[in-house]
Amino acid sequence: MGIDYKQEIERLKQALDVTVVAHYYQRDEVFEMGDIVGDSLELAKKSREVDSAWIVFCGVGFMGQSVKILAPHKRVLMPKIACCAMARMIDAVYFDDSVKYMEAHGVPKEAILPITYINSDAAVKAKVGEMGGLVCTSSNAFKIIEKGLESGKKILFVPDRCLGQNFANSMGLKSCVIGEGECDPKEADIICFNGFCSVHQYFTLEDIAFYRERYPDIKIAVHPECDPAIVDVADFSGSTSQLIKYITELDPEQKVAVGTEYNLVNRLRPSNTYVLSSTKPECPTMNETTLEDLYLVLKSIEDGAPINEVLVDEHIAYHASLALERMMEGS
Ligand code: 13P
Ligand code: SF4
């Protein structure tokens, strides 16, 4: 007989001083094991407040790193140290290059305020922290950008060009993307790095046209990691928790097509909810974590030989924590 992972996970959760944390994009069977579930902002906030000595974080690398930075005394383990594809698009060198680009186009470093989406490595957050900048998530980007603008500086937004442009559009600000067309930092309020989420690029104008033609009264709800052309014509755009609230509060008869990760959409509502794509928009790295991985990481704590521990260089953690704490204060 093989191991009953679910039963063993429940036993280990009882036996150990551990909190299992799971992002909404996790596979259902892993998500169901979470003591705390939420979107990236909720998880960063709640994880640092729990009493347990150990946190087992089911999500992607930057999420576990953020918890370790915000709560350094906790031991953070991840069943899979899976890396968000967007976070991998920028590192400290690319960040420095973006600052140099702005300097070369007449904006001195002192006149730049960097904001990084939480979907980035700790080394990028540290660079942002050192320059007096902030972290944001899709839940609080509006507030954080507003706060950033109070400095009177140009905002360098990394790494998601879609999020940067979408919030600039909703706030009536001018934006441009480095490396895309003419991007003159002197002419824009928000200068975006050219990164993106591969999963949220699945949703197209053709998909929207398909659903609108089939169901003329349908609502289209999307995550702001979608292309600005999609967000422009959607009925609603919001972070994971904002999408959940919007969709679950709709009249049960109201049809809605949702442009975000498949696992979340699939468990949102029993009927009248559609995935805004002809393909299955699963996040490959979020899907890497299995029940077996979760079991193995919990068992490693019981055995006294913890695996997959999240560790962050002290210097990087210090500067990254400045950027993360500025977000926490402002959201
Ligand atoms: P949330 O902040 O909405 O949880 O988004 C995280 C993410 O990776 C979306 O793709
Ligand atoms: Fe990263 Fe996109 Fe996956 Fe979110 S859905 S974790 S942004 S690759």
Side-chain angles (χ1 to χ4, degrees):
M1 261 280 281
I3 299 169
D4 182 336
Y5 292 126
K6 230 173 145 174
Q7 202 178 319
E8 270 296 283
I9 291 166
E10 295 292 5
R11 178 188 72 76
L12 287 160
K13 286 207 306 178
Q14 290 291 321
L16 302 169
D17 182 20
V18 66
T19 303
V20 174
V21 177
H23 188 270
Y24 285 122
Y25 292 1
Q26 291 290 295
R27 295 160 181 256
D28 287 348
E29 64 274 23
V30 174
F31 183 76
E32 283 159 18
M33 293 292 121
D35 301 307
I36 293 178
V37 296
D39 70 5
S40 58
L41 181 63
E42 291 164 340
L43 294 183
K45 281 185 172 166
K46 291 180 192 167
S47 305
R48 78 191 308 204
E49 282 158 17
V50 296
D51 289 331
S52 61
W54 297 88
I55 290 184
V56 169
F57 200 110
C58 306
V60 283
F62 73 83
M63 298 179 175
Q65 261 186 348
S66 298
V67 174
K68 181 68 190 169
I69 295 166
L70 287 165
H73 49 286
K74 293 202 186 295
R75 307 274 307 263
V76 182
L77 307 184
M78 297 188 74
K80 269 272 160 63
I81 302 197
C83 194
C84 158
M86 182 205 288
R88 290 188 77 141
M89 289 182 185
I90 188 165
D91 60 14
V93 175
Y94 280 124
F95 178 85
D96 285 343
D97 287 348
S98 306
V99 173
K100 281 183 202 143
Y101 177 89
M102 290 182 64
E103 288 179 307
H105 287 79
V107 181
K109 195 167 176 180
E110 314 75 68
I112 302 171
L113 184 86
I115 296 180
T116 181
Y117 191 26
I118 197 165
N119 298 37
S120 56
D121 188 67
V124 173
K125 293 188 178 81
K127 287 273 175 189
V128 169
E130 276 183 280
M131 283 179 66
L134 307 92
V135 174
C136 76
T137 75
S138 49
S139 294
N140 62 19
F142 195 98
K143 268 194 191 165
I144 297 293
I145 293 172
E146 250 184 356
K147 192 175 169 195
L149 289 169
E150 286 168 13
S151 66
K153 297 181 181 184
K154 298 277 183 192
I155 294 194
L156 168 60
F157 192 90
V158 303
D160 188 4
R161 66 170 159 79
C162 294
L163 207 84
Q165 288 175 290
N166 283 325
F167 279 95
N169 292 345
S170 70
M171 298 169 87
L173 300 168
K174 276 187 83 175
S175 64
C176 68
V177 179
I178 298 173
E180 207 176 72
E182 295 266 309
C183 178
D184 182 354
K186 287 213 295 306
E187 295 301 315
D189 307 296
I190 301 187
I191 295 87
C192 305
F193 184 80
N194 202 355
F196 57 88
C197 165
S198 43
V199 180
H200 287 87
Q201 305 312 299
Y202 279 125
F203 311 109
T204 63
L205 290 172
E206 288 73 28
D207 294 324
I208 296 178
F210 169 85
Y211 276 109
R212 290 221 196 272
E213 197 176 312
R214 195 157 199 186
Y215 308 114
D217 295 330
I218 199 165
K219 298 281 186 204
I220 306 290
V222 301
H223 194 282
E225 285 176 14
C226 293
D227 193 89
I230 303 299
V231 172
D232 272 0
V233 296
D235 297 292
F236 180 81
S237 161
S239 69
T240 305
S241 52
Q242 290 159 357
L243 281 169
I244 293 171
K245 184 169 186 306
Y246 172 79
I247 293 159
T248 53
E249 286 178 1
L250 288 174
D251 183 292
E253 294 307 312
Q254 173 65 55
K255 293 187 191 312
V256 61
V258 191
T260 194
E261 209 273 345
Y262 177 81
N263 286 320
L264 165 71
V265 180
N266 191 41
R267 70 172 90 88
L268 262 178
R269 208 159 159 248
S271 59
N272 289 322
T273 305
Y274 303 85
V275 176
L276 182 64
S277 176
S278 51
T279 55
K280 201 176 175 188
E282 285 174 319
C283 172
T285 45
M286 282 281 188
N287 267 271
E288 279 181 32
T289 303
T290 62
L291 268 189
E292 182 183 8
D293 297 324
L294 177 55
Y295 160 72
L296 289 174
V297 88
L298 289 166
K299 187 80 178 77
S300 78
I301 302 176
E302 184 179 56
D303 294 344
I307 56 169
N308 294 352
E309 180 155 10
V310 178
L311 298 170
V312 185
D313 169 89
E314 216 175 294
H315 175 82
I316 288 179
Y318 171 73
H319 289 285
S321 74
L322 298 178
L324 276 161
E325 292 293 355
R326 286 183 196 121
M327 169 182 82
M328 291 300 195
E329 283 159 25
S331 64

